[in-house]
């Protein structure tokens, strides 16, 4: 039968978090369409950075490492997506953001989400060593918000949830893959 012969393109995502899997699927479908027969597989892999990256550089490194560790562990994939959330102190304020890295076909695409200011109460908990997701749960009396709407959803009253927040960065990280003649090959 025809459908038995279609080879699905495997997209590995460096997380088992349903939010990160969903934003990757939606971002890929936005760029490549829904008829391209992709399989989206979430796998927990190491970021090789701290649980709560505290700088832009460390956060980017975590996303790159997740994509590379996926590629090493699951060589049968077509694309490898690393998503890493981080924070950075700017003056006496703390901003949250994430990096998305996509590896595949000898190329690497990278994009950062927009940033947003964290409330002082959450920033103080993070300074004490609490991860952002746990700090959200403590301040807003929730459980496992990072697998739901996360800080961005809570703080925007769900005007923007984590899936939509990450989706734009997934799309932007795919730019080299839809414009390969404009980007040199990078073996990440």
């Amino acid at each position: 039968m025809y459908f038995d012969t279609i080879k699905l393109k495997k997209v590995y995502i460096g997380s088992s978090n349903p939010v990160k899997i969903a934003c990757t699927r939606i971002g890929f479908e936005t760029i490549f369409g829904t008829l391209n027969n992709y399989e989206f597989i979430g796998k927990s892999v190491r970021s090789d950075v701290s649980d709560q990256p505290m700088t832009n550089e460390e956060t980017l490194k975590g996303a790159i490492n997740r994509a590379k560790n996926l590629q090493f562990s699951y060589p049968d994939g077509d694309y490898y997506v690393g998503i890493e959330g981080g924070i950075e102190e700017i003056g006496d304020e703390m901003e949250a953001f994430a990096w998305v890295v996509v590896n595949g076909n000898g190329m690497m695409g990278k994009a950062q989400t927009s940033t947003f200011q964290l409330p002082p109460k959450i920033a103080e908990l993070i300074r004490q060593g609490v991860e952002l997701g746990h700090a959200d749960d403590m301040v807003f009396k929730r459980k496992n918000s990072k697998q739901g709407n996360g800080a961005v959803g809570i703080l925007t009253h769900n005007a923007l949830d984590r899936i939509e927040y990450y989706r734009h960065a997934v799309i932007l990280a795919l730019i080299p893959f839809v414009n390969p003649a404009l980007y040199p090959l990078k073996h990440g």
Side-chain angles (χ1 to χ4, degrees):
M1 182 175 231
Y2 172 74
F3 294 107
D4 294 334
T5 62
I6 295 175
K7 180 191 177 293
L8 294 177
K9 293 179 183 175
K10 290 185 178 182
V11 179
Y12 283 100
I13 302 106
S15 176
S16 58
N17 186 324
V19 168
K20 293 181 179 181
I21 296 167
C23 73
T24 299
R25 179 186 52 77
I26 294 167
F28 268 72
E29 288 175 352
T30 302
I31 288 290
F32 297 118
T34 57
L35 300 176
N36 282 303
N37 303 310
Y38 290 91
E39 179 181 11
F40 298 92
I41 307 160
K43 296 287 185 181
S44 293
V45 293
R46 296 179 337 273
S47 67
D48 298 324
V49 298
S50 59
D51 289 340
Q52 179 58 74
M54 297 294 287
T55 66
N56 188 44
E57 286 179 41
E58 184 183 16
T59 307
L60 175 57
K61 183 178 180 183
I64 290 169
N65 289 345
R66 285 187 193 278
K68 286 181 177 182
N69 288 335
L70 278 171
Q71 201 163 7
F72 178 77
S73 299
Y74 305 97
D76 64 323
D78 296 288
Y79 297 93
Y80 303 90
V81 180
I83 301 173
E84 189 74 23
I87 53 135
E88 182 142 20
E89 295 210 49
I90 300 174
D92 60 351
E93 296 178 348
M94 189 176 284
E95 292 187 352
F97 56 90
W99 273 97
V100 175
V101 171
V102 180
N103 283 351
N105 302 320
M107 300 181 79
M108 177 189 285
K110 301 179 287 193
Q112 186 179 16
T113 63
S114 54
T115 63
F116 61 97
Q117 181 182 350
L118 292 173
K121 197 181 268 189
I122 290 175
E124 185 54 39
L125 287 169
I126 293 170
R127 286 184 192 102
Q128 294 171 16
V130 178
E131 192 177 340
L132 175 58
H134 299 301
D136 290 339
D137 291 344
M138 292 166 69
V139 170
F140 296 108
K141 312 268 188 272
R142 302 187 53 168
K143 289 189 179 180
N144 207 14
S145 60
K146 67 181 185 177
Q147 289 199 1
N149 59 354
V152 71
I154 294 167
L155 294 170
T156 64
H157 297 261
N158 291 317
L160 181 64
D161 65 19
R162 279 183 90 206
I163 292 173
E164 186 63 14
Y165 180 63
Y166 290 150
R167 179 183 74 90
H168 292 101
V170 171
I171 290 169
L172 295 171
L174 289 170
I175 288 173
F177 297 92
V178 294
N179 298 284
L182 301 175
Y183 293 86
L185 291 181
K186 286 185 180 180
H187 295 285

